[in-house]
Every structure is written in C-alpha cells, then in structure tokens.
Amino acid sequence: MNVETINPSAENALQREKRISFYSRKGIFDTGCRFIDEGETYSVLASDIDHFDSKEYEMLLSRFSLGTYKKHITR
C-alpha cells in the first residue's frame, strides 16, 4: 500500500498523520521505502515488513500496470 509521506508543511499534514496512524492500528506499517510520483513522495506500507522486498514490489507495480507504471523504490 502507498500513502503520502508525513510532511509537516503539506496542506493536508494532519490528514496524512491520521491515515498512517489508522493503518498502523490495523497492523499495516511503514516499510521505510519511498518513491516519487508526479512530484509527491509516497511511503510504502505493508503488513509483514520483515519479509517485504522492494525489488519484488517494483516488479508488482509494473506488472499490474502492464509495464506502464515503473517506480524506483528507495530506503
């Protein structure tokens, strides 16, 4: 899952914080991975961060979009 990163200067900063807090209460946590899409930085969340593979996730994003959506995931 992808969400906008927490950014105190963002117009929707409180909404971003609440969103990430909601997901963490449901057992979905920040993997520490990020990517940029159209100028916005996104955090990658997962329910099993111990087994999260950023390269595998990149391939998944590309495959689901039939190769049209390619993002480089960074830590």
Side-chain angles (χ1 to χ4, degrees):
M1 165 179 282
N2 310 317
V3 295
E4 298 164 310
T5 57
I6 292 178
N7 177 351
S9 63
E11 190 174 299
N12 65 341
L14 182 58
Q15 181 185 38
R16 293 177 185 207
E17 289 178 31
K18 286 182 177 184
R19 183 180 299 124
I20 291 173
S21 176
F22 169 81
Y23 286 127
S24 67
R25 288 192 309 273
K26 301 300 180 188
I28 303 170
F29 303 100
D30 191 338
T31 62
C33 293
R34 307 283 181 268
F35 69 89
I36 298 173
D37 186 18
E38 295 189 23
E40 184 64 57
T41 303
Y42 290 87
S43 299
V44 179
L45 309 180
S47 59
D48 187 358
I49 60 175
D50 293 329
H51 295 100
F52 177 78
D53 183 318
S54 62
K55 293 298 177 196
E56 198 172 294
Y57 187 65
E58 282 180 10
M59 289 188 324
L60 179 72
L61 288 175
S62 180
R63 184 175 296 150
F64 280 171
S65 68
L66 302 175
T68 62
Y69 191 79
K70 296 179 181 177
K71 297 297 171 198
H72 178 67
I73 309 294
T74 60
R75 277 206 181 260

